[in-house]
Coordinates of all heavy atoms in Angstrom, one line a residue:
M1 N -7.0 16.8 -7.2 CA -5.6 16.4 -7.5 C -5.3 17.1 -8.8 O -6.0 17.0 -9.8 CB -5.6 14.9 -7.6 CG -4.2 14.4 -7.7 SD -4.0 12.5 -7.6 CE -4.5 12.3 -5.9
S2 N -4.1 17.7 -8.9 CA -3.6 18.3 -10.1 C -3.2 17.3 -11.2 O -2.9 16.2 -10.9 CB -2.5 19.3 -9.8 OG -1.3 18.5 -9.5
D3 N -3.2 17.8 -12.4 CA -2.6 16.9 -13.5 C -1.2 16.4 -13.2 O -0.8 15.3 -13.5 CB -2.7 17.6 -14.8 CG -4.0 17.9 -15.3 OD1 -5.0 17.2 -14.9 OD2 -4.2 18.8 -16.2
E4 N -0.4 17.3 -12.6 CA 1.0 17.0 -12.2 C 1.0 15.8 -11.2 O 1.8 14.9 -11.3 CB 1.7 18.2 -11.7 CG 3.2 17.9 -11.5 CD 3.8 19.2 -11.0 OE1 4.0 20.1 -11.8 OE2 4.2 19.3 -9.8
Q5 N 0.1 15.9 -10.2 CA 0.0 14.8 -9.2 C -0.5 13.5 -9.8 O 0.1 12.5 -9.5 CB -0.9 15.2 -8.1 CG -0.3 16.3 -7.2 CD -1.4 16.9 -6.2 OE1 -2.5 17.1 -6.6 NE2 -0.9 17.1 -5.0
V6 N -1.4 13.6 -10.7 CA -1.9 12.4 -11.4 C -0.8 11.7 -12.2 O -0.6 10.6 -12.1 CB -3.1 12.7 -12.3 CG1 -3.5 11.5 -13.1 CG2 -4.4 13.1 -11.4
Q7 N 0.0 12.5 -12.8 CA 1.1 12.0 -13.7 C 2.1 11.4 -12.8 O 2.7 10.3 -13.1 CB 1.7 13.1 -14.5 CG 2.8 12.6 -15.5 CD 2.2 11.5 -16.4 OE1 1.2 11.7 -17.0 NE2 3.1 10.6 -16.7
A8 N 2.4 12.0 -11.6 CA 3.4 11.4 -10.7 C 2.9 10.0 -10.3 O 3.8 9.2 -10.0 CB 3.6 12.4 -9.4
L9 N 1.6 9.8 -10.0 CA 1.1 8.5 -9.6 C 1.4 7.5 -10.7 O 1.6 6.3 -10.4 CB -0.3 8.6 -9.2 CG -0.6 9.3 -8.0 CD1 -2.2 9.4 -7.8 CD2 -0.1 8.6 -6.8
K10 N 1.5 7.9 -11.9 CA 1.6 7.0 -13.1 C 3.0 6.5 -13.2 O 3.3 5.4 -13.8 CB 1.1 7.5 -14.3 CG -0.5 7.8 -14.3 CD -0.9 8.4 -15.6 CE -2.4 8.7 -15.6 NZ -2.8 9.3 -16.9
E11 N 4.0 7.3 -12.7 CA 5.3 7.0 -12.9 C 5.8 5.9 -11.8 O 5.2 5.8 -10.7 CB 6.2 8.3 -12.6 CG 6.0 9.4 -13.6 CD 6.3 9.0 -15.0 OE1 7.4 8.3 -15.2 OE2 5.5 9.3 -15.9
P12 N 6.8 5.1 -12.1 CA 7.3 4.1 -11.1 C 7.7 4.8 -10.0 O 8.4 5.8 -10.1 CB 8.5 3.4 -11.9 CG 8.2 3.6 -13.4 CD 7.4 4.9 -13.5
G13 N 7.4 4.3 -8.8 CA 7.7 5.0 -7.5 C 7.0 6.3 -7.3 O 7.4 7.1 -6.6
G14 N 5.8 6.5 -8.0 CA 5.1 7.7 -8.0 C 4.6 8.0 -6.5 O 4.3 9.1 -6.2
S15 N 4.5 7.0 -5.7 CA 4.0 7.2 -4.4 C 5.1 8.0 -3.5 O 4.8 8.5 -2.4 CB 3.7 5.9 -3.6 OG 4.9 5.1 -3.6
A16 N 6.3 8.2 -4.0 CA 7.3 8.9 -3.2 C 7.2 10.4 -3.3 O 7.8 11.1 -2.5 CB 8.7 8.4 -3.7
G17 N 6.4 10.9 -4.3 CA 6.4 12.3 -4.4 C 5.6 13.0 -3.4 O 5.3 12.5 -2.4
D18 N 5.1 14.2 -3.6 CA 4.3 14.9 -2.7 C 2.8 14.8 -2.9 O 2.0 15.6 -2.5 CB 4.7 16.4 -2.7 CG 4.4 17.1 -4.0 OD1 4.1 16.4 -5.1 OD2 4.5 18.3 -4.1
V19 N 2.5 13.6 -3.6 CA 1.1 13.4 -3.8 C 0.3 13.0 -2.6 O -0.8 13.4 -2.3 CB 1.0 12.3 -4.9 CG1 -0.5 11.9 -5.2 CG2 1.6 12.7 -6.2
F20 N 1.1 12.2 -1.7 CA 0.5 11.7 -0.5 C 1.0 12.4 0.7 O 2.2 12.9 0.7 CB 0.8 10.2 -0.4 CG 0.2 9.4 -1.5 CD1 1.0 8.8 -2.4 CD2 -1.2 9.2 -1.6 CE1 0.3 7.9 -3.4 CE2 -1.7 8.4 -2.6 CZ -1.0 7.8 -3.5
T21 N 0.3 12.4 1.8 CA 0.7 12.9 3.1 C 1.8 11.9 3.7 O 1.8 10.7 3.2 CB -0.4 13.1 4.0 OG1 -1.0 11.8 4.3 CG2 -1.5 14.0 3.5
E22 N 2.4 12.3 4.7 CA 3.3 11.3 5.4 C 2.5 10.1 5.9 O 3.0 9.0 5.9 CB 4.1 12.0 6.5 CG 5.2 12.9 6.1 CD 6.3 12.1 5.4 OE1 6.6 11.0 5.8 OE2 6.9 12.7 4.4
E23 N 1.4 10.3 6.4 CA 0.6 9.2 6.9 C 0.2 8.2 5.8 O 0.3 7.0 5.9 CB -0.7 9.8 7.5 CG -1.7 8.8 7.9 CD -3.0 9.3 8.5 OE1 -3.1 10.6 8.6 OE2 -3.9 8.6 8.8
E24 N -0.2 8.8 4.6 CA -0.5 8.0 3.5 C 0.7 7.3 2.9 O 0.6 6.1 2.6 CB -1.1 8.8 2.4 CG -2.5 9.4 2.7 CD -3.0 10.4 1.9 OE1 -2.2 11.2 1.3 OE2 -4.3 10.7 1.7
R25 N 1.8 7.9 2.9 CA 3.1 7.3 2.4 C 3.5 6.1 3.3 O 4.0 5.1 2.8 CB 4.2 8.3 2.3 CG 4.1 9.1 1.0 CD 5.4 9.9 0.8 NE 5.7 10.9 1.7 CZ 5.3 12.2 1.5 NH1 4.6 12.5 0.4 NH2 5.6 13.1 2.3
A26 N 3.3 6.2 4.6 CA 3.6 5.1 5.5 C 2.7 3.9 5.2 O 3.1 2.8 5.2 CB 3.4 5.6 7.0
A27 N 1.4 4.2 4.9 CA 0.5 3.1 4.6 C 0.9 2.5 3.2 O 0.8 1.3 3.0 CB -0.9 3.6 4.6
V28 N 1.2 3.3 2.2 CA 1.6 2.8 0.9 C 2.9 2.0 1.0 O 2.9 0.9 0.4 CB 1.8 4.0 -0.1 CG1 2.4 3.5 -1.3 CG2 0.4 4.6 -0.3
R29 N 3.9 2.5 1.8 CA 5.1 1.6 2.0 C 4.8 0.3 2.5 O 5.3 -0.7 2.1 CB 6.1 2.4 2.8 CG 6.9 3.4 2.1 CD 8.1 3.9 2.9 NE 7.6 4.6 4.2 CZ 7.4 5.9 4.2 NH1 7.3 6.6 3.2 NH2 7.0 6.5 5.4
L30 N 3.9 0.2 3.6 CA 3.5 -1.1 4.0 C 2.8 -1.9 3.0 O 3.1 -3.1 2.9 CB 2.4 -0.9 5.3 CG 1.9 -2.1 5.8 CD1 2.9 -2.9 6.5 CD2 0.7 -1.8 6.7
A31 N 1.9 -1.3 2.2 CA 1.2 -2.1 1.2 C 2.2 -2.6 0.1 O 2.2 -3.9 -0.2 CB 0.2 -1.2 0.5
E32 N 3.2 -1.8 -0.3 CA 4.2 -2.3 -1.2 C 5.1 -3.4 -0.6 O 5.3 -4.4 -1.3 CB 5.0 -1.1 -1.6 CG 4.4 -0.1 -2.5 CD 5.2 1.2 -2.8 OE1 6.1 1.5 -2.0 OE2 4.9 1.9 -3.7
K33 N 5.5 -3.3 0.6 CA 6.4 -4.3 1.1 C 5.5 -5.5 1.5 O 6.1 -6.7 1.2 CB 7.0 -3.8 2.4 CG 8.1 -2.8 2.2 CD 8.9 -2.5 3.4 CE 10.1 -1.6 3.1 NZ 11.0 -1.6 4.3
L34 N 4.3 -5.4 2.0 CA 3.6 -6.6 2.3 C 3.2 -7.3 1.0 O 3.1 -8.6 1.0 CB 2.2 -6.2 3.1 CG 1.5 -7.2 3.7 CD1 2.3 -8.1 4.7 CD2 0.3 -6.6 4.5
T35 N 3.0 -6.6 -0.1 CA 2.7 -7.2 -1.4 C 3.9 -7.9 -2.0 O 3.8 -9.0 -2.4 CB 2.1 -6.2 -2.3 OG1 0.9 -5.6 -1.7 CG2 1.8 -6.7 -3.7
A36 N 5.0 -7.1 -2.0 CA 6.2 -7.7 -2.8 C 7.0 -8.7 -2.0 O 7.4 -9.7 -2.5 CB 7.1 -6.5 -3.2
W37 N 7.3 -8.4 -0.7 CA 8.2 -9.2 0.1 C 7.9 -8.9 1.5 O 8.5 -8.0 2.2 CB 9.7 -8.9 -0.3 CG 10.6 -9.8 0.4 CD1 10.4 -11.1 0.7 CD2 12.0 -9.5 0.7 NE1 11.6 -11.6 1.2 CE2 12.5 -10.6 1.2 CE3 12.7 -8.3 0.6 CZ2 13.9 -10.7 1.7 CZ3 14.0 -8.4 1.1 CH2 14.5 -9.6 1.6
P38 N 6.9 -9.6 2.1 CA 6.5 -9.3 3.6 C 7.7 -9.4 4.5 O 7.7 -8.7 5.5 CB 5.5 -10.5 3.8 CG 5.0 -10.8 2.5 CD 6.1 -10.7 1.5
A39 N 8.7 -10.2 4.3 CA 9.8 -10.4 5.2 C 10.6 -9.1 5.3 O 11.5 -8.9 6.1 CB 10.7 -11.6 4.9
S40 N 10.4 -8.2 4.3 CA 11.3 -7.0 4.2 C 10.8 -5.9 5.2 O 11.4 -4.9 5.3 CB 11.3 -6.4 2.8 OG 10.0 -5.9 2.5
I41 N 9.6 -6.1 5.8 CA 9.0 -5.2 6.7 C 10.0 -5.2 8.0 O 10.2 -6.1 8.6 CB 7.7 -5.5 7.1 CG1 6.8 -5.4 5.9 CG2 7.1 -4.6 8.2 CD1 5.3 -5.9 6.1
Q42 N 10.4 -4.0 8.3 CA 11.4 -3.7 9.4 C 10.7 -3.0 10.6 O 9.6 -2.4 10.3 CB 12.6 -2.9 8.9 CG 13.3 -3.5 7.8 CD 14.1 -4.7 8.2 OE1 14.7 -4.7 9.3 NE2 14.0 -5.8 7.4
Q43 N 11.3 -3.0 11.7 CA 10.8 -2.3 12.8 C 10.5 -0.7 12.5 O 9.5 -0.2 13.0 CB 11.7 -2.4 14.1 CG 11.0 -1.9 15.3 CD 9.7 -2.4 15.8 OE1 9.6 -3.6 15.7 NE2 8.7 -1.6 16.1
A44 N 11.4 -0.2 11.8 CA 11.3 1.2 11.3 C 10.0 1.4 10.6 O 9.3 2.5 10.7 CB 12.5 1.7 10.5
D45 N 9.5 0.4 9.7 CA 8.2 0.6 9.0 C 7.1 0.6 10.0 O 6.2 1.5 9.9 CB 8.1 -0.6 8.0 CG 9.2 -0.6 7.0 OD1 9.5 0.4 6.4 OD2 9.8 -1.7 6.9
L46 N 7.2 -0.2 11.0 CA 6.1 -0.3 12.0 C 6.1 1.0 12.9 O 5.0 1.5 13.2 CB 6.3 -1.6 12.8 CG 6.1 -2.9 12.1 CD1 6.5 -4.1 12.9 CD2 4.8 -3.0 11.4
D47 N 7.3 1.4 13.2 CA 7.5 2.7 14.0 C 6.8 3.9 13.2 O 6.1 4.7 13.8 CB 8.9 3.0 14.3 CG 9.4 2.0 15.3 OD1 8.7 1.3 15.9 OD2 10.7 1.9 15.4
A48 N 7.1 3.9 11.9 CA 6.5 4.9 11.0 C 5.0 4.9 11.0 O 4.4 5.9 11.2 CB 7.0 4.9 9.6
L49 N 4.4 3.7 10.9 CA 3.0 3.5 11.0 C 2.4 3.9 12.3 O 1.4 4.5 12.5 CB 2.6 2.0 10.7 CG 2.8 1.5 9.3 CD1 2.6 0.0 9.3 CD2 1.7 2.2 8.4
G50 N 3.2 3.6 13.4 CA 2.8 3.9 14.8 C 2.6 5.4 15.1 O 1.9 5.7 16.0
R51 N 3.3 6.2 14.2 CA 3.2 7.6 14.5 C 1.8 8.2 14.0 O 1.3 9.2 14.4 CB 4.3 8.4 13.6 CG 5.6 8.3 14.3 CD 6.6 9.3 13.7 NE 7.0 9.0 12.3 CZ 8.0 8.2 12.0 NH1 8.8 7.6 13.0 NH2 8.4 8.0 10.7
Y52 N 1.1 7.3 13.2 CA -0.2 7.8 12.5 C -1.3 6.9 12.9 O -2.5 7.4 12.8 CB 0.0 7.9 11.0 CG 1.1 8.7 10.6 CD1 2.3 8.2 10.1 CD2 1.1 10.2 10.7 CE1 3.4 8.9 9.7 CE2 2.2 10.9 10.4 CZ 3.3 10.3 9.9 OH 4.4 11.1 9.5
F53 N -1.1 5.6 13.2 CA -2.1 4.6 13.4 C -1.9 3.9 14.7 O -0.7 3.7 15.1 CB -2.1 3.7 12.2 CG -2.2 4.2 10.8 CD1 -1.1 4.4 10.0 CD2 -3.5 4.6 10.4 CE1 -1.2 4.9 8.8 CE2 -3.5 5.2 9.1 CZ -2.4 5.3 8.3
N54 N -3.0 3.5 15.3 CA -2.9 2.7 16.5 C -2.8 1.2 16.1 O -2.9 0.9 14.9 CB -4.0 3.0 17.5 CG -5.4 2.6 16.9 OD1 -5.6 1.6 16.2 ND2 -6.4 3.4 17.2
V55 N -2.6 0.3 17.1 CA -2.4 -1.0 16.8 C -3.6 -1.7 16.0 O -3.3 -2.4 15.1 CB -2.1 -1.8 18.1 CG1 -2.1 -3.3 17.9 CG2 -0.9 -1.4 18.8
E56 N -4.7 -1.4 16.4 CA -6.0 -1.8 15.8 C -6.0 -1.4 14.3 O -6.4 -2.2 13.4 CB -7.2 -1.5 16.5 CG -7.4 -2.1 17.8 CD -6.6 -1.4 19.0 OE1 -6.1 -0.3 18.8 OE2 -6.5 -2.0 20.1
Q57 N -5.6 -0.1 14.0 CA -5.7 0.3 12.7 C -4.6 -0.3 11.8 O -4.8 -0.6 10.6 CB -5.5 1.9 12.7 CG -6.7 2.6 13.2 CD -6.4 4.1 13.5 OE1 -5.3 4.5 14.0 NE2 -7.4 4.9 13.2
I58 N -3.4 -0.5 12.4 CA -2.3 -1.3 11.7 C -2.8 -2.6 11.4 O -2.6 -3.1 10.2 CB -1.0 -1.2 12.5 CG1 -0.5 0.2 12.6 CG2 0.0 -2.1 11.8 CD1 0.6 0.4 13.6
A59 N -3.4 -3.3 12.3 CA -3.9 -4.7 12.1 C -4.9 -4.7 10.9 O -4.9 -5.6 10.0 CB -4.5 -5.3 13.3
E60 N -5.8 -3.6 10.9 CA -6.8 -3.6 9.8 C -6.2 -3.3 8.5 O -6.6 -3.8 7.4 CB -7.8 -2.4 10.2 CG -9.0 -2.4 9.2 CD -10.0 -1.4 9.7 OE1 -10.1 -1.1 10.9 OE2 -10.8 -1.0 8.8
L61 N -5.1 -2.4 8.5 CA -4.4 -2.2 7.3 C -3.8 -3.5 6.7 O -3.9 -3.9 5.5 CB -3.2 -1.2 7.4 CG -3.6 0.3 7.5 CD1 -2.4 1.1 8.0 CD2 -4.0 0.7 6.1
V62 N -3.1 -4.3 7.6 CA -2.5 -5.6 7.2 C -3.5 -6.5 6.7 O -3.4 -7.1 5.6 CB -1.7 -6.1 8.4 CG1 -1.2 -7.6 8.0 CG2 -0.5 -5.3 8.7
L63 N -4.7 -6.6 7.4 CA -5.8 -7.5 7.0 C -6.3 -7.1 5.6 O -6.5 -7.9 4.7 CB -6.9 -7.5 8.0 CG -8.1 -8.4 7.7 CD1 -7.6 -9.9 7.6 CD2 -9.1 -8.3 8.8
T64 N -6.5 -5.8 5.4 CA -7.1 -5.3 4.2 C -6.1 -5.5 3.0 O -6.5 -6.0 1.9 CB -7.4 -3.7 4.3 OG1 -8.4 -3.7 5.3 CG2 -7.9 -3.3 3.0
I65 N -4.8 -5.2 3.2 CA -3.8 -5.4 2.2 C -3.6 -6.9 1.9 O -3.7 -7.3 0.6 CB -2.5 -4.8 2.6 CG1 -2.6 -3.2 2.7 CG2 -1.4 -5.2 1.6 CD1 -1.5 -2.7 3.5
G66 N -3.6 -7.7 2.9 CA -3.5 -9.2 2.6 C -4.7 -9.7 1.9 O -4.6 -10.6 1.0
T67 N -5.9 -9.3 2.2 CA -7.1 -9.7 1.5 C -7.1 -9.3 0.1 O -7.4 -10.1 -0.8 CB -8.4 -9.2 2.2 OG1 -8.4 -9.6 3.6 CG2 -9.6 -9.6 1.6
A68 N -6.7 -8.1 -0.2 CA -6.6 -7.6 -1.6 C -5.6 -8.5 -2.4 O -5.8 -8.9 -3.5 CB -6.2 -6.1 -1.6
N69 N -4.4 -8.8 -1.7 CA -3.4 -9.6 -2.4 C -4.0 -11.0 -2.6 O -3.8 -11.6 -3.8 CB -2.1 -9.7 -1.5 CG -1.4 -8.4 -1.6 OD1 -1.3 -7.7 -2.6 ND2 -0.7 -8.1 -0.5
L70 N -4.6 -11.6 -1.6 CA -5.3 -12.9 -1.9 C -6.3 -12.9 -3.0 O -6.2 -13.7 -3.9 CB -6.0 -13.4 -0.6 CG -6.7 -14.7 -0.6 CD1 -5.7 -15.9 -1.0 CD2 -7.5 -15.0 0.6
T71 N -7.1 -11.9 -3.0 CA -8.1 -11.8 -4.1 C -7.4 -11.7 -5.4 O -7.8 -12.3 -6.4 CB -9.0 -10.6 -3.9 OG1 -9.7 -10.8 -2.6 CG2 -10.1 -10.5 -4.9
N72 N -6.4 -10.8 -5.5 CA -5.7 -10.6 -6.8 C -5.0 -11.9 -7.3 O -5.1 -12.3 -8.5 CB -4.6 -9.6 -6.7 CG -5.3 -8.2 -6.6 OD1 -6.4 -8.0 -6.9 ND2 -4.6 -7.2 -6.0
R73 N -4.4 -12.7 -6.3 CA -3.7 -13.9 -6.7 C -4.7 -15.0 -7.2 O -4.4 -15.7 -8.2 CB -2.9 -14.4 -5.6 CG -1.6 -13.6 -5.6 CD -0.9 -13.6 -4.3 NE 0.4 -12.9 -4.3 CZ 0.5 -11.5 -4.3 NH1 -0.6 -10.8 -4.3 NH2 1.6 -10.9 -4.3
I74 N -5.9 -15.0 -6.5 CA -6.9 -16.0 -7.0 C -7.4 -15.6 -8.3 O -7.4 -16.5 -9.3 CB -8.1 -16.1 -5.9 CG1 -7.6 -16.7 -4.7 CG2 -9.3 -16.9 -6.6 CD1 -8.6 -16.7 -3.5
N75 N -7.7 -14.4 -8.6 CA -8.2 -14.0 -9.9 C -7.2 -14.1 -11.0 O -7.5 -14.6 -12.1 CB -8.7 -12.5 -9.8 CG -10.0 -12.5 -9.1 OD1 -10.8 -13.4 -9.0 ND2 -10.3 -11.3 -8.5
E76 N -5.9 -13.8 -10.6 CA -4.9 -13.9 -11.6 C -4.6 -15.4 -11.9 O -4.5 -15.8 -13.1 CB -3.6 -13.2 -11.2 CG -3.7 -11.7 -11.2 CD -3.9 -11.1 -12.6 OE1 -3.3 -11.6 -13.6 OE2 -4.6 -10.1 -12.7
G77 N -4.6 -16.2 -10.9 CA -4.3 -17.6 -11.1 C -5.4 -18.3 -11.8 O -5.1 -19.3 -12.6
M78 N -6.6 -17.9 -11.6 CA -7.7 -18.5 -12.3 C -8.1 -17.8 -13.7 O -9.0 -18.3 -14.3 CB -9.0 -18.5 -11.5 CG -8.8 -19.3 -10.1 SD -8.4 -21.0 -10.4 CE -10.0 -21.6 -11.2
R79 N -7.3 -16.8 -13.9 CA -7.5 -16.0 -15.2 C -8.9 -15.5 -15.3 O -9.6 -15.7 -16.3 CB -7.0 -16.8 -16.4 CG -5.6 -17.2 -16.3 CD -5.2 -17.8 -17.5 NE -4.7 -16.7 -18.4 CZ -3.5 -16.6 -18.9 NH1 -2.7 -17.5 -18.8 NH2 -3.2 -15.6 -19.7
T80 N -9.4 -15.0 -14.2 CA -10.8 -14.5 -14.1 C -11.0 -13.3 -15.1 O -10.1 -12.4 -14.9 CB -11.1 -14.1 -12.6 OG1 -10.9 -15.2 -11.8 CG2 -12.5 -13.6 -12.5
P81 N -11.9 -13.4 -15.9 CA -12.1 -12.2 -16.8 C -12.5 -10.9 -16.0 O -13.2 -11.0 -15.0 CB -13.3 -12.6 -17.7 CG -13.6 -14.0 -17.4 CD -12.9 -14.4 -16.1
V82 N -12.0 -9.9 -16.4 CA -12.3 -8.6 -15.8 C -13.6 -8.1 -16.4 O -13.9 -8.1 -17.6 CB -11.2 -7.5 -16.2 CG1 -11.6 -6.2 -15.5 CG2 -9.9 -8.0 -15.6
D83 N -14.5 -7.7 -15.5 CA -15.8 -7.3 -15.9 C -15.9 -5.8 -15.7 O -16.0 -5.2 -14.7 CB -16.9 -8.0 -14.9 CG -18.3 -7.9 -15.4 OD1 -18.5 -7.7 -16.6 OD2 -19.2 -8.0 -14.6
V84 N -15.8 -5.2 -16.9 CA -15.9 -3.7 -16.9 C -17.1 -3.1 -17.5 O -17.7 -3.6 -18.3 CB -14.6 -3.1 -17.6 CG1 -13.4 -3.3 -16.8 CG2 -14.5 -3.6 -18.9

């Protein structure tokens, strides 16, 4: 990944650039919507995912994103110290 691509990822909305493939952008859009406001997911979002992923893969994406969100909320809510 070039320095320019890394910098693009650091900017707000960095996922919109040419850093990711269309397939990756569809997955990132799902992650963003599922994290911020799940009710905002539209049929068009699912159709975009369906171009690259089958039903089982989409279910796995949703489960993985949801699990990460749950873990983050528990850790933030409990103020779990970050172990680096």
